[in-house]
Amino acid sequence: MTDFDRNMTSLGDVFDNVKESTERKTKLMTDNKTLTDKCIQSQRIMEKDLVSIKEANESLQNSVTDLKARSMRDNLIFSGIPEERHEDTEAVLQEFIQKKYKLDYEVPFERVHRMGKWKEYSSHPRNIVAKFTYFKDRELIRTRAPQKLHKSNVWVNEQFPPEIEEKRRKLYPVLRQAKKDHKKVKLVRDVLYID
């Protein structure tokens, strides 16, 4: 075999190796493209699933908030009623209601308690949460509070879950401005109605 033949054979081997290497790389690129396409498809499915999960989570959160609000429907919060250590909170509240509202009957409660822990040197008394047995009694106390408690340091408010209370807090400035503009205003849960 001559040098030329050997060079040609060697060159043929090089071309075969290049061809083999190119085919392997082409197959790898095809496999990678297939895998990339599958990953993109999986990512799209996961994004859709994530959106569905977020929607379901939001729906569940709204349901939980609604249930909390319904469970607090019969509650009122009394702020500013003086406090003594080891008091009978229900008796204190009954006495306060009788004194301010001058009712001819005792308002029945399911539960009455102070919120939070006792702090001996606190300058403000803890709020009282009262769960009324009858919604009509609750509404009587709530609706007459502006007249009966005028110029006192006691306030009566409805109790709402933190999620609703946060939304209401954002609406208070709008409500105040609408009242200043002599518009009819009503805040129901976390919705503000202005006429």
Side-chain angles (χ1 to χ4, degrees), residues 151-174:
K151 294 187 179 180
S152 74
N153 291 329
V154 177
W155 300 271
V156 177
N157 296 299
E158 296 175 277
Q159 185 181 27
F160 293 103
E163 299 87 353
I164 291 177
E165 196 57 56
E166 183 179 322
K167 290 177 184 177
R168 287 174 66 91
R169 230 177 263 121
K170 292 175 184 175
L171 294 172
Y172 291 144
V174 178

Side-chain angles (χ1 to χ4, degrees), residues 83-85 117-126:
E83 176 178 14
E84 293 179 17
R85 190 169 178 103
K117 288 186 175 182
W118 162 262
K119 293 179 185 170
E120 189 170 347
Y121 300 107
S122 177
S123 60
H124 301 290
R126 294 177 294 163

Side-chain angles (χ1 to χ4, degrees), residues 20-167:
E20 231 178 80
S21 174
T22 304
E23 287 173 353
R24 273 196 314 267
K25 288 180 180 174
T26 303
K27 185 178 182 324
L28 272 173
M29 285 175 52
T30 305
D31 291 347
N32 283 343
K33 183 175 180 351
T34 303
L35 284 172
T36 302
D37 290 345
K38 285 182 180 178
C39 285
I40 289 170
Q41 186 178 5
S42 293
Q43 183 180 0
R44 287 183 183 141
I45 290 170
M46 288 171 69
E47 286 172 353
K48 286 179 183 177
D49 288 348
L50 183 61
V51 167
S52 296
I53 288 170
K54 284 182 178 179
E55 288 171 354
N57 185 33
E58 186 176 331
S59 175
L60 283 172
Q61 186 62 41
N62 289 340
S63 294
V64 168
T65 300
D66 185 57
L67 286 172
K68 285 182 189 177
R70 288 173 191 263
S71 73
M72 295 176 178
R73 180 177 183 260
D74 296 326
N75 295 4
L76 287 179
I77 298 177
F78 294 82
S79 304
I81 297 177
E83 176 178 14
E84 293 179 17
R85 190 169 178 103
H86 305 297
E87 69 186 7
D88 179 359
T89 308
E90 185 171 345
V92 168
L93 185 59
Q94 280 291 0
E95 181 183 325
F96 173 79
I97 288 173
Q98 292 303 320
K99 181 178 167 187
K100 292 292 186 178
Y101 287 82
K102 299 186 183 0
L103 300 176
D104 57 351
Y105 65 95
E106 272 199 6
V107 176
F109 298 107
E110 288 185 24
R111 278 184 307 282
V112 177
H113 62 87
R114 296 269 184 181
M115 296 174 76
K117 288 186 175 182
W118 162 262
K119 293 179 185 170
E120 189 170 347
Y121 300 107
S122 177
S123 60
H124 301 290
R126 294 177 294 163
N127 293 341
I128 294 176
V129 177
K131 183 172 184 76
F132 288 75
T133 303
Y134 301 110
F135 188 75
K136 286 182 179 181
D137 288 334
R138 174 212 186 256
E139 283 301 285
L140 174 86
I141 300 299
R142 185 185 69 81
T143 56
R144 290 190 182 171
Q147 298 89 11
K148 299 291 184 179
L149 304 178
H150 186 66
K151 294 187 179 180
S152 74
N153 291 329
V154 177
W155 300 271
V156 177
N157 296 299
E158 296 175 277
Q159 185 181 27
F160 293 103
E163 299 87 353
I164 291 177
E165 196 57 56
E166 183 179 322
K167 290 177 184 177

